[in-house]
Amino acid sequence: MFDGPEPIYLQIAQMIRAQVLAGELAEEEQVMSTTQFATTFRINPATAAKAFAGLVDEGVLYKRRGLGMFVAPGAREQLLADHRARFFDEVLAPALAQADLLDIPTAEIVDYVLGRARPAGPPADGGPRTGPTTDPTPR
């Protein structure tokens, strides 16, 4: 299961973050113990503990003495904010820089994005669909 290039503890942390983001793990919900995690996924308990410790440091999980690890209140919102910021910095900013190089006006980008948000199929009025096209030929 953990066959990516990153260390296993980072893959575990990413898996738990994804479960929190998807709502599979809710606030205040208990997560598997490090021992359960290690047994289930056949990994060293210290590896699972390292992943959990990192998530505690990030504020995604917290420990209840004698009970185990739980999803922290506000963890999903925090992860959403972090991912959104990273999206703008790592995805959108480079795309907009490329659009500037290609002299693509902002209005054209907005029209394209709004066009992709529309449901597929003909408009409700039966008329032709208008909006951006994806012409693969270079201009």
Side-chain angles (χ1 to χ4, degrees), residues 1 6-8 10-12 14 17 25 37 52-53 78-79 84 87 98 102 107 109 111 122 129 133-134 138:
M1 172 167 188
E6 306 88 20
I8 292 173
L10 292 177
Q11 293 180 57
I12 293 168
Q14 186 53 40
R17 283 187 208 99
L25 287 173
F37 207 90
F52 285 24
Q78 173 192 332
L79 288 170
R84 285 179 180 142
F87 171 79
Q98 183 68 24
L102 299 172
I109 295 168
D111 287 346
R129 176 161 297 286
T133 60
T134 53

Side-chain angles (χ1 to χ4, degrees), residues 3 11 22 29 31 35 50 58 65 67-68 73-74 76 80 83 85 88 101 103 105 117 119-120 132 134 137 139:
D3 57 357
Q11 293 180 57
E29 184 173 342
V31 297
T35 303
K50 187 171 183 178
E58 291 175 24
R65 187 179 208 102
L67 296 176
R76 184 170 188 277
L80 281 171
H83 279 72
F88 283 107
L101 287 173
D103 292 327
T134 53
T137 55
R139 295 179 197 177

Side-chain angles (χ1 to χ4, degrees), residues 108 112-113 115-116 131-139:
E108 188 175 338
Y112 181 82
V113 170
R116 291 190 44 97
T133 60
T134 53
D135 183 3
T137 55
R139 295 179 197 177

